[in-house]
Amino acid sequence: MASANILVVDDEKNIRRTVSMVLQDEDYEVETASSAEEGLGKLVERSFDVVLLDVQMGGMSGLEMLAQVREQEGSPEVIMMSGHASLADAVDATRLGAFDFLEKPLNRERLLLTVRNAYEKRLLMMRVQSLEAGDARYCGMIGDSPAMQKIRTAVEIVGPTKGKVLILGESGVGKDLVARSIHALSDRSMRSFVKVNCSAIPSELIESELFGHEKGSFTGASARKRGLFEAADGGTIFLDEIGDMSLAAQAKVLRVLQSGEFTRVGGDKLSFVDVRVIAATNKDLKRAVVDGEFREDLYFRLNVVPIQVPPLRERLSDIPLLVNSFLSQIAREYGRELLTISDKAMAVLCRYSYPGNIRELHNLCERLVIMCRETVTVGDLPEDMMESVESVRGCTKQGNGEASCSMASLAGIEPGAMSLREFRSMAEQAYIEATLKSVGNNVSRAAEVLNIERTNLHKKIKKFDVERPGDDEV
C-alpha cells in the first residue's frame, strides 16, 4: 500500500522544514507550500491524504483555505496549527471540519500521533466510499448460478494479486461490480477506486481527463488540472468501455502500464503513478485489433486475466435473488413498503430474455416499486415482456391482459425450458384454474373437487394470482 501523501502549508520556512523532516523520518511523502494560495494550487495538481495547515498567514488565512478544501469531493483530512490562535479560532476550525488543532511549538509525538490518526480516518472513509455500492466482499454481485460461482472464484484468485484484468461482457451485465470486487479483495482496497467511462468522454477530452492538463494547453484550460490516473494513485483505475478509447489515448495508457510515466496535456514534465488498471469492454477487441481500431500491444498488456461476465439470459436462476434484492433496496430509497411478487409474475420474470441485462431488470424493479402496492401481479409487468415470454413458452393471453398456461399447453413445454419446481408450480396453477372454471368459479365446490380445505384453496388462488371471472365465493 502506498505511503500517505501529506501537504504542509505554513508561511514560516523553519516550521515547514521541521515538520517535513519529522514526517519524512516516518516514511511519509511530504510536500510544502508557503501560502494558502500555493497550497490550493498543489491540491489541484495531485491528491493528498492529510494537510497540516497554519491558521494565520499572509494573504488568505488557514481557516479560509480550510473552508475551500472541505467543499471539495474526497477532500483530505486537515490538521490546523497555530502558535497564537484564540479559542474562537479552534471552534471555527472544528466547525469547518478540521480533524484536530495543534498548538505551536509542536510536540513531535503529538504531531505523529495526530497525523497517523488522521490518515487512518482518511483510509476508513475511502474504504466506505469504495464499497458503498455493495457488500464488502463481492460489492453487490448477486447470484448462486454456476456462472456467478465461476466469476467469484476468479475474483478471489486475481483480487489479491497485481495482475491486470480485462472484463468482457454485454452492456449492462455488471462488469463494474466485478471490477469493484477485485479492488475490494486487493491490498489497495483502502485506497481510491476511480471509474472512467471511456465511451462517455469526448475523444478530444479523454487525454485531459485521464492525464490532466497544463494551464493554457487548450481553449478553456484556465488552470492546471490533475487527471484521473493521479486521482487513483496508490489505488485502482477502472477503464470501462475501453474499446471506445481513441488511438492517441491508448498510446498514453500503454506508456503508463509499462512504466507508470505520463505527461499532462500541454506539458513536458514526466509524472509517475502507482495504479492498478482494470479494463472492461462490450466489444470484440480481437476484431478491433484486426480492424486497426485498437492497439495490439495494449490489448496484450490488458488481457493478462480475462473474465467473461455472462448475459442475464444465461443465468435466469438468479432472477429471484436479484428481484428481491433490488425491490428491497429501491423500497428503502423511496421510503416504500416492501413488495411481494406473485408466483405467476415471478415465473414470467424468470423466463424473459432481458436484452438490457441487469440494468433492464433493475429499471423494471424501480418501476414496480413506484407503480405497485403490496403485491406485484402479472398485469403489472410490461406488455412487451409478456408477449416475449408467451411466444417462447406457449402461454396464452387472457382478456384482462394476464398470462396463463392451459392444461393442454403444459404438454408442449420442451424439456429444459424450466426447472421442475417451475413446471410443478405452473401445473398446479393450471389445474386450479381449470377446476374453478368447471364448477363456475365456486370456491367451495372447487375445494371439494380438489380435496383440500377451502381456506387452503384461497391461499393458493392468491399465491398463483388466479383469474376468477365473477368471483363466486360460495
Side-chain angles (χ1 to χ4, degrees):
M1 182 173 62
S3 176
N5 299 317
I6 300 177
L7 176 63
V8 180
V9 184
D10 198 302
D11 57 358
E12 296 184 42
K13 183 177 180 180
N14 288 338
I15 293 292
R16 296 197 303 273
R17 184 176 61 212
T18 300
V19 172
S20 296
M21 291 174 61
V22 170
L23 296 175
Q24 287 169 347
D25 284 344
E26 298 296 319
D27 293 329
Y28 290 116
E29 297 181 12
V30 184
E31 287 195 27
T32 63
S34 60
S35 67
E37 291 82 358
E38 183 184 358
L40 288 173
K42 287 183 177 284
L43 286 171
V44 171
E45 294 178 7
R46 61 171 299 183
S47 61
F48 290 91
D49 299 300
V50 180
V51 176
L52 287 157
L53 177 59
D54 190 24
V55 174
Q56 297 181 1
M57 295 179 287
M60 180 187 294
S61 72
L63 292 177
E64 290 173 321
M65 178 179 172
L66 171 62
Q68 291 194 31
V69 170
R70 298 303 292 174
E71 288 178 356
Q72 300 173 4
E73 184 177 353
S75 61
E77 295 299 325
V78 180
I79 301 169
M80 303 301 295
M81 306 180 295
S82 180
H84 39 73
S86 65
L87 178 61
D89 289 331
V91 172
D92 287 342
T94 303
R95 178 177 55 82
L96 291 171
F99 177 79
D100 206 342
F101 199 101
L102 299 179
E103 294 186 14
K104 298 178 181 177
L106 299 173
N107 176 275
R108 184 181 187 279
E109 296 305 320
R110 173 73 191 281
L111 170 64
L112 292 175
L113 177 62
T114 305
V115 168
R116 182 166 62 251
N117 290 341
Y119 181 45
E120 289 177 354
K121 180 185 177 184
R122 165 77 167 165
L123 292 179
L124 179 61
M125 293 302 296
M126 292 172 66
R127 173 73 166 173
V128 170
Q129 291 169 6
S130 69
L131 300 178
E132 61 184 0
D135 66 59
R137 188 169 176 80
Y138 294 113
C139 299
M141 289 198 305
I142 299 169
D144 293 326
S145 63
M148 289 305 298
Q149 292 176 16
K150 182 178 180 180
I151 290 175
R152 285 199 184 93
T153 298
V155 168
E156 289 176 355
I157 293 172
V158 75
T161 72
K162 297 180 180 180
K164 300 171 185 64
V165 181
L166 180 60
I167 306 172
L168 307 168
E170 297 177 7
S171 178
V173 296
K175 297 188 290 292
D176 59 329
L177 297 181
V178 177
R180 288 181 181 276
S181 298
I182 293 170
H183 173 72
L185 290 171
S186 73
D187 59 2
R188 298 170 181 261
S189 61
M190 302 295 283
R191 305 293 293 184
S192 297
F193 177 87
V194 177
K195 178 181 176 180
V196 184
N197 188 341
C198 300
S199 63
I201 304 174
S203 57
E204 64 271 16
L205 294 179
I206 192 165
E207 287 187 61
S208 171
E209 289 295 316
L210 291 176
F211 307 108
H213 60 251
E214 298 291 346
K215 180 179 179 180
S217 57
F218 56 85
T219 303
S222 57
R224 174 185 287 179
K225 175 185 175 181
R226 69 189 183 100
L228 295 172
F229 267 91
E230 287 180 89
D233 190 21
T236 302
I237 190 166
F238 174 44
L239 302 176
D240 196 13
E241 303 305 347
I242 195 171
D244 295 321
M245 181 180 289
S246 68
L247 289 170
Q250 289 177 34
K252 281 200 168 185
V253 169
L254 178 63
R255 184 181 184 183
V256 174
L257 293 180
Q258 291 173 331
S259 63
E261 300 176 350
F262 70 94
T263 56
R264 296 189 181 95
V265 175
D268 54 12
K269 179 184 176 182
L270 275 180
S271 297
F272 299 86
V273 289
D274 172 22
V275 175
R276 182 180 191 176
V277 176
I278 301 174
T281 183
N282 61 8
K283 293 187 174 181
D284 184 347
L285 289 190
K286 289 184 179 179
R287 170 56 56 187
V289 169
V290 172
D291 294 340
E293 298 173 354
F294 201 84
R295 294 181 62 109
E296 184 178 37
D297 45 5
L298 178 58
Y299 170 71
F300 286 120
R301 281 279 180 177
L302 294 172
N303 194 35
V304 176
V305 180
I307 295 179
Q308 183 76 44
V309 183
L312 188 52
R313 62 182 175 274
E314 294 181 7
R315 57 183 189 101
L316 292 177
S317 61
D318 289 332
I319 294 296
L321 286 173
L322 288 163
V323 169
N324 289 324
S325 176
F326 290 159
L327 290 179
S328 176
Q329 169 196 335
I330 298 167
R332 287 196 302 270
E333 293 175 358
Y334 280 79
R336 299 288 184 89
E337 293 295 324
L338 182 62
L339 295 174
T340 58
I341 306 279
S342 73
D343 280 13
K344 185 188 291 187
M346 184 63 82
V348 172
L349 292 173
C350 289
R351 291 193 290 276
Y352 180 58
S353 61
Y354 298 97
N357 290 299
I358 300 291
R359 189 177 296 121
E360 180 181 3
L361 179 60
H362 186 278
N363 290 346
L364 171 61
C365 290
E366 185 173 6
R367 168 181 167 176
L368 296 175
V369 169
I370 294 172
M371 301 301 295
C372 299
R373 294 294 180 271
E374 295 185 0
T375 302
V376 177
T377 67
V378 173
D380 298 316
L381 302 179
E383 187 172 348
D384 58 344
M385 173 180 285
M386 294 302 307
E387 292 174 350
S388 174
V389 171
E390 290 157 14
S391 66
V392 173
R393 301 303 183 193
C395 295
T396 59
K397 201 164 189 176
Q398 307 299 310
N400 67 348
E402 294 192 357
S404 178
C405 286
S406 67
M407 294 289 292
S409 67
L410 288 172
I413 296 177
E414 297 181 1
M418 63 185 70
S419 68
L420 178 61
R421 179 182 176 278
E422 290 174 330
F423 182 84
R424 186 186 298 118
S425 177
M426 185 175 293
E428 186 176 0
Q429 170 195 329
Y431 190 50
I432 289 173
E433 288 178 342
T435 302
L436 282 166
K437 184 178 180 180
S438 71
V439 297
N441 294 300
N442 186 304
V443 177
S444 298
R445 178 62 184 141
E448 292 178 7
V449 172
L450 295 169
N451 194 27
I452 61 174
E453 294 292 332
R454 186 173 182 275
T455 54
N456 192 13
L457 178 56
H458 267 295
K459 291 179 182 179
K460 289 182 177 295
I461 288 172
K462 182 177 181 180
K463 172 184 176 182
F464 292 125
D465 193 19
V466 172
E467 178 192 4
R468 292 182 294 130
D471 284 343
D472 187 346
E473 293 288 345
V474 178

